[in-house]
Structures are given as C-alpha cells and as structure tokens.
Amino acid sequence: MNRQEALELLRENVKTESMIKHCLASEAVMRSLAKHLGENEEEWALAGLLHDIDVEKTNADPRTHGPMAAVILKGKGVSEEVIDAIVHHNEDAEGIGPRETIFQHALAAGETITGLITATTLVYPDKKIAAIKTKSVTKRMKEKKFAASVKRENILECEQIGIPLAEFAALAINAMKEIHDELGL
C-alpha cells in the first residue's frame, strides 16, 4: 500500500481532523525513528499513519482499539508486521500479549510522544512546535497532572529500543517540526 492509498483509507475511517493530524505526526516520528535505528522507513511510517484507523469505530475503547484496526487493514496490502505493530500499540486491548518486537515498542512510544508534544504546544498556546524544547517535554513527563490519554510507560518504551528519553523527545520534536504547517502547530 502506498502513502496516498493509506491516506485515503485513513480519511475513509477517521473523520476528526485532530486525529488525522495526530496520525500524520506519528507517521513523521515513526519515519524518523526508523531512519535513526536503520529500520524500514516506509513500513514504520505506514504504521504511524494508520495506527488509529479504528479509533472512531471503537470509540477508542481500550479493549477493542488495535484489534479492530487489523480487521480494517487485512486484505488492503498492509504487511502482517505493520498490522501486528498497530494491534500491539494499545496494551489494553483484549487478547493481545505483551509487546515483543522493536517495531511494537517503537510504535507505542512514537505515537504516544506525539500526543505529549501536541499537549505541550497546547499548554503554551503562544508557542508553536518550533519553540518547544526537549526539556519542556521531559519536564511534562514528571508533572503530576500529565497529558490526558498519554501514558508515561509507553513513552518510556523508547528505552526498550535503546534511545534515552531526552534523545527520543528531541528526535520526535524535530520530526514534527518538519511537518508543522501540515499539523497546524
């Protein structure tokens, strides 16, 4: 499946513009992670783009979000490895085991940090993504009132793939800066 086909499929299944932007941000972060780690950039970017393709169909129900994506993506030219990473990005889904592959850990961490970076830009509405510093993101990780729907544990999975938190945050911020106009941040 090429990127254009993936975007069309995403837009068929996700109507909320903020969720589409989150998927675009995750795509950029996953591409950057893959490049950094010497992994397949196209496959990782595709997983980032499509990881929430089922979020509206499941109402983000943590028991079914992820596995429903597999149903949508099967037979659409998406590799089993990408589908497996998408299924495992939500650790609360029923019937899936723990994350085992670098791809699974990377998608969980990558898509989650996009949410934290976006939340950080919203905390500082006079700033855009270009003004967000790594220190701001890592500081938010320590706050008691953490970004809604963002799990610290998922972001910390960056350490499972051998990237320290500050380096991971910087990589993600830079990836999102490259598409800031598209994100509106």
Side-chain angles (χ1 to χ4, degrees):
M1 170 177 283
N2 67 38
R3 184 175 190 272
Q4 187 57 42
E5 293 168 331
L7 276 171
E8 289 171 11
L9 185 61
L10 179 67
R11 289 194 182 277
E12 284 173 25
N13 288 278
V14 178
K15 303 302 181 197
T16 307
E17 196 58 33
S18 62
M19 185 54 62
I20 298 229
K21 288 179 179 182
H22 168 68
C23 291
L24 292 171
S26 297
E27 174 190 32
V29 169
M30 288 302 292
R31 183 179 303 284
S32 184
L33 271 173
K35 185 175 184 176
H36 181 80
L37 295 169
E39 298 290 339
N40 184 319
E41 291 179 45
E42 297 309 314
E43 292 261 307
W44 283 40
L46 184 63
L49 183 63
L50 297 176
H51 79 280
D52 276 343
I53 195 164
D54 64 344
V55 74
E56 291 177 3
K57 291 190 181 328
T58 63
N59 291 318
D61 182 335
R63 295 166 298 161
T64 57
H65 173 50
M68 174 60 80
V71 173
I72 295 168
L73 296 173
K74 293 243 189 239
K76 300 283 188 189
V78 178
S79 75
E80 286 299 318
E81 187 178 30
V82 169
I83 292 172
D84 187 55
I86 290 170
V87 168
H88 281 85
H89 92 275
N90 173 19
E91 70 281 359
D92 296 327
E94 291 179 351
I96 65 165
R99 293 184 195 106
E100 296 175 345
T101 69
I102 190 171
F103 195 3
Q104 293 169 357
H105 290 293
L107 183 58
E111 74 88 16
T112 305
I113 201 162
T114 64
L116 179 59
I117 293 167
T118 301
T120 302
T121 64
L122 299 175
V123 168
Y124 306 107
D126 57 326
K127 294 184 177 181
K128 296 289 186 188
I129 187 100
I132 299 298
K133 305 282 187 248
T134 301
K135 189 176 178 179
S136 299
V137 175
T138 57
K139 179 182 171 197
R140 299 264 352 258
M141 288 280 293
K142 296 174 186 170
E143 292 175 355
K144 286 184 182 178
K145 187 176 179 186
F146 197 59
S149 79
V150 176
K151 293 186 175 183
R152 284 183 183 92
E153 308 84 52
N154 286 3
I155 294 171
L156 291 174
E157 290 207 24
C158 65
E159 295 171 358
Q160 297 285 335
I161 59 176
I163 304 175
L165 177 60
E167 182 181 340
F168 180 64
L171 183 144
I173 290 167
N174 288 333
M176 289 175 68
K177 281 180 183 178
E178 291 180 17
I179 63 165
H180 73 276
D181 286 340
E182 196 171 359
L183 299 176
L185 298 174

